[in-house]
Amino acid sequence: ETGVTQTPRHLVMGMTNKKSLKCEQHLGHNAMYWYKQSAKKPLELMFVYNFKEQTENNSVPSRFSPECPNSSHLFLHLHTLQPEDSALYLCASSPKFAGINEKLFFGSGTQLSVL
Amino acid sequence: AQKVTQAQTEISVVEKEDVTLDCVYETRDTTYYLFWYKQPPSGELVFLIRRNSFDEQNEISGRYSWNFQKSTSSFNFTITASQVVDSAVYFCALSEGRNNAGNMLTFGGGTRLMVKP
């Protein structure tokens, strides 16, 4: 398998549930990203990890908790979400974060519905 | 602050027509990068092109062409002889050229292109 893989593809959860989104990249990249794509807003950058270290947190509420155990895996832990958090969550990777503004490689996303 | 505007939220064309997707950007930086990504129904965004602010040459890749004009802060994308497989959401994006800005992309709202047979 190649590229960026996200699981699950679809997730429905209640506001009191705890769930996790998983992202895995097989490209040997060192930077990984979480983006949120909702119907009412442009794609929003949530978090950036570079060499497993978080380098950006774009004022994301604490009910979203990222984890990057190694350069190939990225998780987004979810708890006590709100209905407005329903969106497509996209993971991306790039060879590195800083430098020459390299292109991003995206996964297919997890479509999250919060009831 | 950076901003990218894609005024066309949805465009519908018939196959073989040419179509242009508009992108207007705002930035205070003199060095910046512009991107176009395609999001097919499967969901993943696919990189199409990257252009830096010092290179205003237009680019053509097969049926795709890009027109970068700094004077109007625009980076428009034209598909010639559109095909049904071109149906997707297209995003224009901007990032600053500073090293510590990395790949901090600011995306436009996207344009949904529907190509009908």
Side-chain angles (χ1 to χ4, degrees):
Chain A
E1 196 172 344
T2 59
V4 180
T5 304
Q6 290 187 244
T7 54
R9 289 298 307 274
H10 303 274
L11 178 63
V12 179
M13 60 186 289
M15 289 191 286
T16 57
N17 291 159
K18 289 185 180 180
K19 297 285 184 183
S20 295
L21 310 185
K22 179 182 176 182
C23 176
E24 184 174 3
Q25 56 95 1
H26 307 273
L27 301 168
H29 290 168
N30 293 303
M32 297 188 78
Y33 311 74
W34 279 116
Y35 277 86
K36 176 183 179 182
Q37 184 178 16
S38 57
K40 298 181 179 179
K41 291 185 179 180
L43 273 156
E44 301 172 86
L45 177 65
M46 300 175 72
F47 301 103
V48 181
Y49 278 82
N50 194 36
F51 291 95
K52 301 188 300 178
E53 298 297 320
Q54 188 180 124
T55 57
E56 294 293 331
N57 177 338
N58 199 22
S59 303
V60 181
S62 59
R63 56 186 184 269
F64 294 91
S65 174
E67 178 190 1
C68 189
N70 54 61
S71 293
S72 299
H73 294 86
L74 184 64
F75 296 89
L76 187 62
H77 303 300
L78 316 171
H79 63 97
T80 59
L81 294 191
Q82 304 298 312
E84 61 263 29
D85 296 322
S86 298
L88 179 67
Y89 289 84
L90 290 161
C91 173
S93 71
S94 66
K96 56 183 184 287
F97 173 57
I100 58 172
N101 290 275
E102 298 150 342
K103 65 183 182 182
L104 299 179
F105 293 77
F106 283 85
S108 297
T110 295
Q111 186 65 55
L112 173 68
S113 297
V114 181
L115 305 178
Chain B
Q2 301 177 118
K3 184 179 179 181
V4 177
T5 302
Q6 295 180 252
Q8 306 148 307
T9 55
E10 199 167 292
I11 299 176
S12 182
V13 299
V14 176
E15 206 169 18
K16 298 185 182 178
E17 286 184 8
D18 298 346
V19 58
T20 295
L21 310 181
D22 298 333
C23 173
V24 175
Y25 62 90
E26 297 176 27
T27 178
R28 293 182 179 177
D29 289 341
T30 55
T31 302
Y32 51 89
Y33 292 80
L34 295 163
F35 299 77
W36 275 95
Y37 281 85
K38 173 182 179 180
Q39 186 179 37
S42 53
E44 79 282 9
L45 275 77
V46 178
F47 169 86
L48 295 178
I49 189 172
R50 175 184 60 218
R51 177 51 51 90
N52 74 57
S53 52
F54 297 107
D55 182 3
E56 287 193 70
Q57 276 195 336
N58 291 330
E59 182 157 340
I60 298 175
S61 176
R63 296 184 297 105
Y64 294 172
S65 62
W66 290 269
N67 183 357
F68 177 29
Q69 293 195 341
K70 286 180 76 171
S71 60
T72 56
S73 298
S74 65
F75 186 43
N76 296 337
F77 172 32
T78 297
I79 301 175
T80 302
S82 59
Q83 300 176 2
V84 173
V85 294
D86 296 326
S87 297
V89 182
Y90 291 86
F91 291 95
C92 181
L94 167 72
S95 73
E96 298 174 332
R98 295 178 284 112
N99 275 346
N100 62 359
N103 295 311
M104 299 275 288
L105 292 174
T106 298
F107 283 88
T111 297
R112 181 178 298 278
L113 174 65
M114 292 178 291
V115 181
K116 299 178 181 178

